[in-house]
Amino acid sequence: EGTMFLKTLVVGPLEVNCYVIADEKSRDAAVIDAGDNSDDILDAIKKNSLNLKYIINTHAHFDHIGAIGKIKKATNAEFLIHEMEMHVLKTLPSQNLIFGVKVDSPPSPDRFLKDDESLALGDLTLKILYTPGHSPGGICIHADGIVFTGDTLFAGSIGRTDLPGGDYNTLISSIKNKLLSLGDGTIVLPGHGPRSAIKEEKEYNPFLAQ
């Protein structure tokens, strides 16, 4: 296994955790949920001499997508998302209205991610887990003892399911089937708020106590 470089940037007014992850040796990198503050993200990529290959989104809600266009322009990295999330991308104008924000539409995805697919960053492998519920095309990304959960699972909580395309039962079943089986020691790096671990969530998350 390659050694992982990991940097977390908290971006935008809703404080999204944007993660820059890379293989230490090859410096091949991905950015997960480039929500805002494109200059800071690009700065982190440049300062650490990373070669950005992928811009991966766990889902397409407005607070997670604001910096994609600028980063893609600057790096020519591939923008990847699950196909089911295209519905959500198309609702961006109405999301902007509902939340009173102005987020630029991201470019079209270069291709769609599939459940169980693996992406390589040098010797580091990122595994895509399809976890709908918060949104129809939600994914989590599992790599080397860490799972990036987007807005599927938070420390002590779960993603909201009252937005278009959200479904509570689907979300709970995604978490139980795809995430809780990853191994107790797996570190959970969510889309908002502090990190956790699978063991903690199994024991203390009130939504998973049934």
Side-chain angles (χ1 to χ4, degrees):
E1 278 285 301
T3 353
M4 189 193 293
F5 166 93
L6 177 65
K7 185 171 175 59
T8 308
L9 297 99
V10 180
V11 301
L14 295 193
E15 304 196 321
V16 168
N17 292 326
C18 167
Y19 299 103
V20 180
I21 175 176
D23 168 53
E24 286 278 16
K25 199 170 65 188
S26 67
R27 311 310 280 176
D28 285 350
V31 59
I32 298 170
D33 289 344
D36 202 345
N37 306 62
S38 54
D39 292 348
D40 296 348
I41 299 168
L42 287 167
D43 200 42
I45 291 164
K46 197 168 146 190
K47 274 200 176 117
N48 295 288
S49 319
L50 303 179
N51 159 38
L52 192 69
K53 289 183 69 175
Y54 304 119
I55 300 162
I56 306 172
N57 265 69
T58 59
H59 64 300
H61 286 146
F62 75 92
D63 50 327
H64 290 254
I65 62 176
I68 295 169
K70 285 181 177 152
I71 293 174
K72 183 163 174 56
K73 211 170 179 174
T75 62
N76 218 10
E78 280 190 282
F79 169 37
L80 310 177
I81 201 159
H82 194 278
E83 189 166 12
M84 290 296 290
E85 215 47 17
M86 289 309 288
H87 306 301
V88 179
L89 271 181
K90 292 193 176 86
T91 67
L92 184 61
S94 63
Q95 287 185 61
N96 280 341
L97 281 174
I98 294 165
F99 292 98
V101 290
K102 177 71 193 91
V103 177
D104 295 331
S105 288
S108 296
D110 291 282
R111 64 184 180 81
F112 296 120
L113 293 166
K114 299 248 189 294
D115 187 31
D116 243 13
E117 176 180 342
S118 292
L119 295 171
L121 296 176
D123 294 329
L124 199 62
T125 304
L126 311 186
K127 187 157 180 217
I128 304 303
L129 309 172
Y130 176 48
T131 53
H134 172 68
S135 67
I139 59 163
C140 297
I141 299 145
H142 184 222
D144 205 11
I146 291 176
V147 62
F148 300 90
T149 57
D151 291 1
T152 294
L153 178 66
F154 300 121
S157 190
I158 59 171
R160 56 191 287 190
T161 53
D162 60 339
L163 297 168
D167 183 81
Y168 182 83
N169 292 332
T170 305
L171 183 61
I172 295 294
S173 114
S174 287
I175 294 169
K176 289 186 168 175
N177 297 332
K178 294 283 192 168
L179 301 182
L180 298 188
S181 57
L182 289 177
D184 285 359
T186 307
I187 303 293
V188 172
L189 294 182
H192 302 266
R195 61 174 53 194
S196 183
I198 292 296
K199 184 176 195 293
E200 303 285 305
E201 297 313 307
K202 273 184 187 168
E203 287 180 19
Y204 302 116
N205 191 316
F207 293 94
L208 306 176
Q210 300 95 32

